Amino acid sequence: MESKKQGVSRRDFMKTTGIATGTLIGGGIIGGLVGYNVNKTPGKKETTVDKHQGQNHELNVGLQFFKTTASFNVLSQATERILPEDELGPGAIGLGVPYFIDNQLAGAYGMNAKEYMQGPFEDGAVTQGYQSRLTRAEIFEQGIAKLEEEAQSRYQKGFVELEPAQMDEILTAFQKGEVPMMAVSSLFFFKLLRQATLEGAYCDPIYNGNKNMEGWKMKGFPGHQYSYTKEIENKKFVKYDPQSISSMTHS
């Protein structure tokens, strides 16, 4: 989708979310491409990408968490609406974000292995951490099912069959907290989805996201370099070809 047809370009998105300065916003929804304050015109829909990612190594990108490709495809289209392809580079699907999220949900992230998960469960303040009785895996399962349910209820179509503007309408309803969910708000799910999308776009490719380090290339991030010693005294900007952890271990 061309950014000229969108209310907010990827460049504006990076500025408002802090990505341009190398940070990710935690907590509230700030400047997301999907938002009820953004006007958009429908554009082309993206389809799920190939099953080979990374560089200089093979990665296991088979589905580890999702039991059906139908649920995985709903996730894929939702992430693509949050970070769509434009003239600056690939979107979430092209960067392998859906595979990153699938793999994360199958591990400690999805099980909340590092969070305290005992009651009481109350609505926490913005300064507090994870408050839901549900694990992230359970929230994603419910949230994706709700995305499909909303699509069928509003348009009598599956989520992946909708036009981009229709997908945005549903995701915006989640962002506003308007979609009923059990033991968690739809806003909470949207925040998890958006954060996971960003993490998948800019992670090391060894985690099955940031395919071919395209996310890093768009930001000019060098990745993992052995040393910057030769260029420390250089007064000019030096551009490095990014390296992932895997490419370093295989060199």
Side-chain angles (χ1 to χ4, degrees), residues 14-172:
M14 291 181 175
K15 290 179 180 178
T16 56
T17 56
I19 297 174
T21 57
T23 61
L24 294 179
I25 298 297
I29 309 301
I30 302 178
L33 282 176
V34 174
Y36 49 87
N37 58 337
V38 177
N39 295 318
K40 298 182 181 67
T41 301
K44 68 177 182 179
K45 287 194 291 185
E46 302 298 331
T47 55
T48 305
V49 294
D50 61 77
K51 296 186 177 181
H52 299 283
Q53 302 186 68
Q55 184 168 312
N56 301 326
H57 65 295
E58 289 295 327
L59 294 178
N60 176 17
V61 294
L63 298 184
Q64 298 182 27
F65 173 75
F66 288 97
K67 300 177 179 63
T68 67
T69 55
S71 295
F72 181 73
N73 288 337
V74 171
L75 170 72
S76 298
Q77 292 299 332
T79 60
E80 183 71 15
R81 294 312 304 151
I82 291 173
L83 188 63
E85 178 181 351
D86 64 12
E87 77 282 358
L88 296 179
I93 291 178
L95 290 169
V97 168
Y99 287 108
F100 166 83
I101 295 176
D102 169 78
N103 294 175
Q104 292 298 306
L105 291 175
Y109 170 85
M111 296 183 291
N112 291 68
K114 296 184 179 181
E115 273 84 19
Y116 179 81
M117 295 295 290
Q118 302 299 315
F121 297 99
E122 304 289 345
D123 292 334
V126 293
T127 55
Q128 293 177 303
Y130 200 92
Q131 296 294 313
S132 176
R133 69 178 71 240
L134 303 180
T135 64
R136 294 185 186 90
E138 291 170 329
I139 292 174
F140 267 84
E141 280 189 317
Q142 182 186 175
I144 290 170
K146 284 288 184 179
L147 285 170
E148 182 68 12
E149 184 180 304
E150 283 294 304
Q152 293 289 350
S153 175
R154 296 181 187 219
Y155 299 107
Q156 294 75 53
K157 293 181 180 179
F159 186 81
V160 299
E161 299 174 298
L162 300 180
E163 294 301 319
Q166 295 171 330
M167 293 182 187
D168 289 354
E169 177 188 312
I170 292 174
L171 286 168
T172 297

Side-chain angles (χ1 to χ4, degrees), residues 19-22 201-205 210 212-225 228 237-244:
I19 297 174
T21 57
Y202 300 110
C203 69
D204 190 287
N210 188 19
N212 294 326
M213 296 178 282
E214 291 297 330
W216 289 352
K217 291 174 184 176
M218 286 187 283
K219 293 181 63 177
F221 179 65
H224 305 281
Q225 302 289 331
Y228 297 96
F237 178 79
V238 178
K239 184 176 181 179
Y240 282 80
D241 291 330
Q243 286 195 104
S244 73

